[in-house]
Amino acid sequence: MTETTKTHVILLACGSFNPITKGHIQMFERARDYLHKTGRFIVIGGIVSPVHDSYGKTGLVSSRHRLTMCQLAVQSSDWIRVDPWECYQDTWQTTCSVLEHHRDLMKRVTGCILSNVNTPSVTPMIGQPQNKSSQTIYQNNNNISNKPTAVKILGKVGESLSRICCVRPPMERFTFVDENANLGTVMRYEEIELRILLLCGSDLLESFCIPGLWNEADMEVIVGEFGIVVVPRDGADPDLIMNHSSILRKYKNNILVVKDDLNHPMSVVSSTKSRLALQHGDGHVVDYLCQPVIDYILKSQLYINTSG
């Protein structure tokens, strides 16, 4: 397949990231490597989307801290960014709503042919109410690298499009363009298929099988319209997990399971283990968290007591 006939993918990971771990970052890397090896996909961006404070999980620190830690964790990546949209809403957003938001944002700004675009969602716009004049929420102040990027590979695209951090890394992690910009047909990709896929561990996939935990209509959209990339964790068997859910079985072809080293050292790393290590002064925390995140946690005195 040529570069233009492959499906172009943006990986979106939702979660608490309380705190973000090396395992989260490796999940992106493993998924990208696997998708590239299939010969069917080109991963052009990754999005870390921390959950809203009102999610209500015990020990969940403020989104202000979680966003900062996520930004520190991806600062050396040239293709993963942090998106604060979830945290900036008035209340908690479903995973389905977050996917729909990013799908519609990419559609409005890029004009790309998104294979999982159906009807527009009703999710709010980034940082501004509906029917208000548009404005750029964040401006990128970094110099753009001359290294080959998705924009350069795919041909003539307008400068406004090239500023989208998902499409043209490396850029400052908190970066947006005016999502209401009318770029016109001259700035559209020609025959490029773009998909936004939910990236998750096998633990989230397993949660789909718990009766009543997920709204079935949302599951139909997440798995049926978007699709999932699953990175196995703790020796779990995603294929076995899928057999316990009629919806997962129905859309099995939309679930891509990363087939790599099943004993990958990052597959057992978790935010829970990281918090426990911090609470007990366990030196193994350096195996779980990157140093800038550790430094920020210690400076801000997060997760130090048992209450989280």
Side-chain angles (χ1 to χ4, degrees):
M1 299 179 72
T2 66
E3 297 295 294
T4 55
T5 57
K6 292 179 181 179
T7 298
H8 292 70
V9 170
I10 293 173
L11 296 171
L12 170 66
C14 299
S16 299
F17 302 106
N18 188 43
I20 189 170
T21 70
K22 292 180 179 179
H24 290 125
I25 305 304
Q26 282 297 310
M27 184 170 67
F28 276 95
E29 299 289 350
R30 292 169 67 186
R32 183 175 68 161
D33 289 346
Y34 175 74
L35 291 180
H36 286 177
K37 287 177 182 177
T38 67
R40 298 161 47 203
F41 305 97
I42 298 176
V43 177
I44 63 173
I47 301 174
V48 177
S49 183
V51 75
H52 192 276
D53 286 342
S54 64
Y55 181 58
K57 189 173 183 178
T58 302
L60 185 69
V61 302
S62 166
S63 60
R64 174 174 63 87
H65 292 306
R66 290 182 290 114
L67 284 169
T68 300
M69 289 187 287
C70 287
Q71 187 177 18
L72 290 170
V74 305
Q75 64 184 351
S76 62
S77 174
D78 65 355
W79 68 282
I80 306 171
R81 73 172 176 90
V82 179
D83 190 306
W85 180 83
E86 267 195 85
C87 295
Y88 286 176
Q89 302 313 299
D90 292 333
T91 188
W92 169 76
Q93 301 292 311
T94 65
T95 300
C96 184
S97 294
V98 179
L99 283 163
E100 289 176 334
H101 161 73
H102 284 285
R103 173 198 65 189
D104 297 340
L105 172 58
M106 288 298 105
K107 177 65 174 178
R108 288 194 296 270
V109 175
T110 70
C112 289
I113 302 171
L114 271 71
S115 59
N116 44 9
V117 166
N118 292 306
T119 55
S121 73
V122 294
T123 50
M125 300 182 211
I126 295 175
Q128 60 184 28
Q130 297 281 0
N131 302 320
K132 296 291 184 179
S133 59
S134 61
Q135 58 179 327
T136 300
I137 307 305
Y138 289 96
Q139 293 283 358
N140 172 55
N141 296 317
N142 293 0
N143 293 325
I144 303 301
S145 170
N146 290 322
K147 63 188 286 190
T149 64
V151 166
K152 294 180 180 179
I153 292 171
L154 297 177
K156 297 180 180 179
V157 184
E159 181 58 28
S160 294
L161 175 58
S162 70
R163 288 161 50 213
I164 298 175
C165 55
C166 280
V167 179
R168 184 174 180 172
M171 307 184 80
E172 187 176 338
R173 297 287 76 82
F174 285 125
T175 307
F176 291 101
V177 297
D178 174 11
E179 64 175 17
N180 298 310
N182 180 11
L183 302 182
T185 57
V186 295
M187 296 182 184
R188 298 169 74 92
Y189 283 122
E190 295 182 1
E191 303 303 323
I192 296 299
E193 182 185 20
L194 175 63
R195 295 190 66 183
I196 299 176
L197 299 177
L198 179 65
L199 174 64
C200 68
S202 49
D203 52 337
L204 187 144
L205 186 72
E206 195 166 17
S207 73
F208 284 160
C209 303
I210 301 175
L213 185 61
W214 288 81
N215 180 290
E216 288 199 4
D218 281 2
M219 287 180 61
E220 288 273 351
V221 173
I222 293 169
V223 189
E225 295 186 19
F226 286 91
I228 304 177
V229 181
V230 183
V231 179
R233 293 187 59 189
D234 294 328
D237 184 348
D239 292 319
L240 186 61
I241 293 172
M242 285 187 273
N243 289 333
H244 293 285
S245 166
S246 59
I247 293 179
L248 296 182
R249 290 196 304 271
K250 178 181 178 181
Y251 296 111
K252 191 171 183 178
N253 290 338
N254 283 348
I255 302 174
L256 300 165
V257 179
V258 173
K259 307 289 186 182
D260 63 359
D261 182 6
L262 296 179
N263 296 314
H264 194 286
M266 290 295 107
S267 65
V268 296
V269 173
S270 69
S271 296
T272 300
K273 288 183 178 180
S274 301
R275 293 195 301 273
L276 288 173
L278 288 163
Q279 290 165 11
H280 295 96
D282 187 344
H284 284 100
V285 71
V286 298
D287 298 325
Y288 308 148
L289 308 176
C290 67
Q291 193 59 50
V293 172
I294 294 175
D295 293 342
Y296 181 84
I297 288 172
L298 295 178
K299 179 181 177 180
S300 304
Q301 289 292 289
L302 305 176
Y303 311 116
I304 302 305
N305 57 54
T306 55
S307 64

